[in-house]
């Protein structure tokens, strides 16, 4: 059965001007939404903590944004004057989180979302990082099965809001593992929310995380439950979809409906939006960490709003849903879908005091671990914030993995590969606390490598290494290339003037200046996620003679300690291993 959300009406009255021009049988419902928070309770560092804003003259500037103290303040301000307001999210609220949340299995983030007034969210792929049982604990509460309760006298209460997982079922029973949908009700207004994650979740999560689960097509699932809600008399429906698109511009305020509706966006969400039943009135999306508020026609040709608020709490989307009390449906004109605008969670606004106290409480618990210096850098080393295929921090991480697993008794690695999505932040030179500029703390290193993936070394032939490199731009990665970060000594050319696998120039692939020999066996290091073929790299599953080593975080920290001192800090590498032809 559908769940019922209790939505407390914020103080204030509806806008008088809008009310005068609106039929009396309609009311405006404010839908506030965001996605891909990833436990970023504190303002993210480096490029991960800014959004690109297009200026009137066509130029752009980076605006510092994010942090739950500011997000809570922004949402609470936005709710004023809106007696009908609901707050929703499109997944990845937790997982791949900085140390402040990750150290405590994301309990701080769930607590923050409860205080924030989140009404509902879909699951995302990262909600499965620690498996089904842990996701269930996030919903229902209880102390961690191994680490126990983190604060004396406090038991984790779980989420006050429902996690929706309509397209995730138990392989044995065929039933959804969590609620597939819920209905928000307030003063006679009813809006149904259906939540799904991307059907490819098993491709981007470790096998243990999705063990015993089946992931189904997003469109078929949404259409099924939209029909069910319709039979129950719920005519207004919003889909929360943890899958997204790629706008033509990185500016959050770019008009992706120019020159025509939806012309400025591509990616998986476009096809999904075109096939989701017209019964669904708006799509809140995520996963790609992009910002957009687009209009994509539904199967009937009617305009429908599709939104995403980037990531890490840097933006929120404000969508106006005009609800017709007579029909119980959302009014969609022939010109456009519901009006939606992305807003920056800038750091000039006042902080929410209750969030400040929450951060202080958890920071006190984390401090003995988080504040320990583990390295020194001479300048910013960009990772998540880099738009280049080869990221300076990616080179550092790959080198750390190669160095840690090169000894014969550790694996004898000759090459190391790092998946770009596993780099969750930058290393910023500016101090984040009282540690001083250029000091890398354990907490900052953890933020970069939060998964604590175990490292492996396997045998791969040269031909398999070549296949893996070509899979960066073909197969599952043809439309959205995933360029692996590579260790020193490995070089090749990426020719973007070509298509598919041909974009990796086979004859250019060399190790220490010598061409890769297809028949030769190489010892290759990578995390267990890649070893299992994650991110669309089936060639890695062919590895033999696997040896499991230390975690990726341990190797990263060890490398920083070995290669930097206060007087000789680590400098950003030149990132010159991949030659890109455009």
């Amino acid at each position: 059965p559908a769940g019922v959300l209790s939505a407390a009406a914020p103080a204030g009255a509806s806008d008088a001007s809008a009310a005068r021009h609106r039929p009396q049988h309609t009311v405006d419902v404010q839908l506030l939404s965001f996605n891909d928070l990833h436990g970023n309770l504190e303002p993210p560092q480096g490029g991960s903590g800014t959004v690109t804003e297009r200026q009137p003259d066509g130029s752009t500037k980076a605006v510092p944004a994010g942090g739950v103290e500011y997000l809570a303040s922004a949402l609470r301000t936005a709710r004023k004057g809106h007696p009908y307001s609901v707050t929703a999210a499109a997944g990845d609220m937790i997982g791949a989180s900085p140390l402040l949340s990750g150290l405590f299995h994301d309990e701080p983030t769930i607590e923050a979302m409860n205080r924030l007034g989140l009404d509902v969210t879909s699951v995302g792929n990262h909600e499965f990082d620690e498996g089904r049982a842990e996701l269930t604990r996030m919903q229902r509460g209880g102390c961690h099965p191994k680490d126990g309760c983190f604060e004396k006298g406090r038991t984790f209460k779980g989420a006050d809001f429902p996690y929706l997982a309509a397209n995730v079922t138990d392989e044995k029973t065929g039933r959804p593992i969590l609620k597939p949908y819920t209905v928000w009700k307030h003063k006679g207004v009813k809006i149904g929310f259906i939540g799904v994650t991307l059907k490819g979740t098993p491709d981007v999560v470790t096998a243990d995380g999705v063990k015993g689960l089946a992931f189904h097509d997003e469109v078929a699932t949404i259409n099924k439950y939209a029909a069910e809600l319709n039979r129950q008399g719920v005519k207004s429906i919003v889909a929360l979809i943890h899958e997204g698109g790629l706008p033509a511009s990185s500016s959050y305020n770019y008009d992706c409906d120019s020159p025509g509706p939806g012309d400025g966006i591509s990616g998986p969400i476009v096809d999904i939006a075109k096939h989701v039943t017209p019964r669904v009135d708006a799509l809140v999306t995520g996963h790609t960490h992009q910002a957009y508020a687009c209009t994509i026609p539904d199967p009937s040709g009617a305009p429908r709003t599709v939104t995403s608020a980037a990531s890490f709490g840097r933006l929120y989307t404000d969508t106006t849903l005009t609800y017709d009390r007579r029909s119980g449906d959302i009014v969609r004109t022939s010109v456009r879908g519901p009006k939606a605008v992305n807003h920056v969670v800038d750091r000039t606004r006042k902080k929410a005091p209750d969030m400040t106290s929450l951060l202080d409480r958890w920071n006190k618990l984390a401090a003995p671990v988080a504040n320990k210096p583990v390295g020194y850098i001479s300048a910013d080393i960009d990772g998540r914030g880099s738009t280049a295929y080869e990221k300076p921090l990616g080179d550092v991480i790959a080198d750390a993995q190669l160095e840690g697993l090169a000894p014969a008794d550790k694996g004898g690695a000759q090459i190391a590969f790092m998946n770009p999505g596993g780099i969750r932040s930058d290393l910023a030179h500016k101090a984040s606390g009282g540690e001083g500029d250029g000091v890398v703390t354990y907490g900052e290193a953890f933020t970069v490598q939060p998964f604590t993936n175990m490292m492996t070394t396997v045998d791969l032939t040269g031909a398999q290494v070549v296949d893996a490199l070509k899979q960066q731009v073909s197969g599952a990665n043809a439309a959205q290339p995933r360029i692996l970060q590579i260790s020193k000594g490995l070089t090749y050319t990426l020719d973007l003037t070509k298509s598919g696998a041909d974009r990796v120039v086979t004859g250019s692939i060399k190790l220490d200046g010598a061409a890769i020999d297809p028949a030769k066996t190489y010892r290759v290091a990578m995390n267990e996620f890649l070893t299992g073929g994650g991110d669309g790299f089936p060639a890695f599953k062919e590895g033999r003679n696997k040896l499991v080593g230390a975690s990726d975080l341990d190797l990263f920290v060890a490398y920083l300690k070995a290669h930097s001192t206060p007087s000789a800090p680590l400098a950003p590498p030149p990132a010159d291993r991949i030659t890109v032809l455009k």
Side-chain angles (χ1 to χ4, degrees):
V4 178
L5 296 178
S6 58
S14 59
D15 182 83
S17 175
R20 283 196 301 270
H21 295 90
R22 190 177 60 225
Q24 290 186 350
H25 59 269
T26 65
V27 294
D28 283 345
V29 178
Q30 178 190 57
L31 171 61
L32 301 177
S33 59
F34 56 99
N35 51 278
D36 295 275
L37 181 66
H38 291 288
N40 278 262
L41 300 181
E42 296 178 302
Q45 286 202 13
S48 297
T50 64
V51 293
T52 301
E53 183 176 76
R54 175 173 286 198
Q55 304 302 298
D57 64 359
S59 63
T60 61
K61 73 172 183 178
V63 180
V68 75
E69 294 162 296
Y70 304 105
L71 178 61
S73 179
L75 293 175
R76 289 164 183 169
T77 299
R79 290 174 187 140
K80 292 179 179 178
H82 295 275
Y84 299 86
S85 183
V86 57
T87 303
D92 278 6
M93 295 296 97
I94 59 174
S97 304
L99 184 133
L100 180 61
S101 187
L103 186 64
F104 306 106
H105 299 280
D106 282 313
E107 290 182 19
T109 296
I110 298 298
E111 183 180 341
M113 294 302 97
N114 288 343
R115 293 190 184 189
L116 191 77
L118 182 61
D119 289 307
V120 58
T121 184
S122 69
V123 294
N125 54 288
H126 282 283
E127 263 80 17
F128 295 91
D129 283 349
E130 294 189 49
R132 174 184 180 175
E134 181 64 2
L135 172 57
T136 302
R137 189 178 76 89
M138 290 293 101
Q139 179 71 85
R140 299 177 182 174
C143 296
H144 191 269
K146 292 184 179 179
D147 295 340
C149 297
F150 296 111
E151 296 176 284
K152 187 176 181 179
R154 280 182 188 256
T155 299
F156 176 57
K157 295 180 179 179
D160 291 342
F161 50 90
Y163 257 113
L164 305 181
N167 67 331
V168 187
T169 60
D170 184 291
E171 285 185 340
K172 293 181 178 179
T173 67
R175 296 178 178 177
I177 63 167
L178 294 170
K179 287 182 179 180
Y181 59 82
T182 194
V183 180
W184 178 83
K185 297 179 179 179
H186 186 62
K187 294 183 179 179
V189 172
K190 296 189 297 183
I191 299 178
F193 288 87
I194 303 168
V196 298
T197 185
L198 70 154
K199 63 182 177 183
T201 290
D203 299 327
V204 292
V205 176
T206 59
D208 285 345
V210 295
K211 187 176 181 180
L213 304 177
F215 292 79
H216 306 279
D217 183 75
E218 304 96 337
V219 172
T221 303
I222 293 168
N223 290 352
K224 170 187 173 181
Y225 286 111
E228 186 169 317
L229 282 167
N230 197 67
R231 288 193 296 270
Q232 295 177 10
V234 179
K235 308 295 184 182
S236 298
I237 303 172
V238 175
L240 307 175
I241 309 172
H242 192 70
E243 179 60 289
L246 302 168
S249 169
S250 60
S251 299
Y252 81 89
N253 54 344
Y254 163 74
D255 181 6
C256 67
D257 284 338
S258 177
D263 284 346
I265 189 170
S266 60
I269 199 61
V270 176
D271 189 58
I272 291 172
K274 288 180 177 179
H275 291 90
V276 164
T277 174
R279 286 172 172 153
V280 173
D281 299 293
L283 278 60
V284 177
T285 74
H287 188 56
T288 55
H289 290 205
Q290 302 298 310
Y292 46 84
C294 300
T295 303
I296 300 176
D298 68 21
S300 73
R304 182 166 56 191
T305 297
V306 180
T307 67
S308 175
S311 61
F312 304 158
R314 295 173 293 164
L315 299 174
Y316 72 90
T317 311
D318 190 336
T319 303
T320 300
L321 303 172
T322 300
Y323 184 89
D324 189 322
R325 288 187 179 277
R326 293 187 302 196
S327 67
D329 207 349
I330 300 300
V331 177
R332 285 199 278 151
T333 70
S334 60
V335 180
R336 60 165 296 133
K339 181 182 177 183
V341 179
N342 276 323
H343 298 280
V344 181
V345 179
D346 63 81
R347 300 178 197 158
T348 59
R349 67 184 71 241
K350 290 183 178 180
K351 298 179 180 180
D354 59 331
M355 292 299 172
T356 301
S357 65
L358 182 148
L359 296 185
D360 289 346
R361 198 180 93 240
W362 287 104
N363 267 318
K364 186 176 180 180
L365 290 172
V369 175
N371 297 336
K372 185 178 179 181
V374 296
Y376 305 87
I377 56 176
S378 63
D380 289 352
I381 304 181
D382 289 338
R384 191 76 181 184
S386 171
T387 58
Y389 283 130
E390 182 184 353
K391 307 176 189 305
L393 190 51
D395 285 1
V396 172
I397 292 170
D399 287 352
Q401 295 176 354
L402 177 64
E403 183 171 295
L405 300 180
D409 63 335
K410 302 295 184 183
Q414 299 164 276
I415 300 169
F417 289 117
M418 173 63 193
N419 54 307
I423 306 169
R424 305 306 300 185
S425 186
D426 305 324
L427 284 183
H429 184 264
K430 184 178 180 181
S432 59
E435 75 274 12
D437 291 347
V439 178
V440 180
T441 65
Y442 182 82
E444 290 165 345
F446 184 100
T447 298
V448 171
Q449 293 265 264
F451 296 107
T452 318
N453 270 319
M454 300 310 294
M455 293 298 302
T456 63
T457 309
V458 298
D459 284 347
L460 288 174
T461 65
Q464 289 168 331
V465 170
V466 172
D467 285 347
L469 289 172
K470 288 184 175 293
Q471 286 164 5
Q472 299 175 114
V473 290
S474 63
N477 297 324
Q480 299 177 53
R482 283 193 174 98
I483 304 303
L484 296 162
Q485 307 301 286
I486 56 177
S487 55
K488 62 182 179 180
L490 186 62
T491 57
Y492 71 93
T493 297
L494 185 65
D495 188 348
L496 298 180
T497 66
K498 298 181 179 179
S499 61
D502 290 340
R503 284 179 279 187
V504 172
V505 181
T506 303
S508 70
I509 305 172
K510 297 179 180 180
L511 180 60
D512 297 328
I516 288 284
D517 183 347
K520 184 179 177 180
T521 296
Y522 297 86
R523 292 292 284 168
V524 181
M526 66 192 87
N527 60 47
E528 59 183 353
F529 171 66
L530 282 178
T531 310
D535 270 354
F537 291 97
F540 288 145
K541 295 174 71 174
E542 300 171 9
R544 296 291 180 266
N545 299 321
K546 181 170 74 172
L547 182 66
V548 178
S551 74
D552 51 6
L553 178 60
D554 286 346
L555 294 183
F556 184 45
V557 169
Y559 186 86
L560 291 172
K561 289 181 176 179
H563 292 272
S564 66
T565 65
S567 59
L570 182 68
D576 56 1
R577 300 166 189 180
I578 304 173
T579 301
V580 181
L581 304 179
K582 298 181 180 180

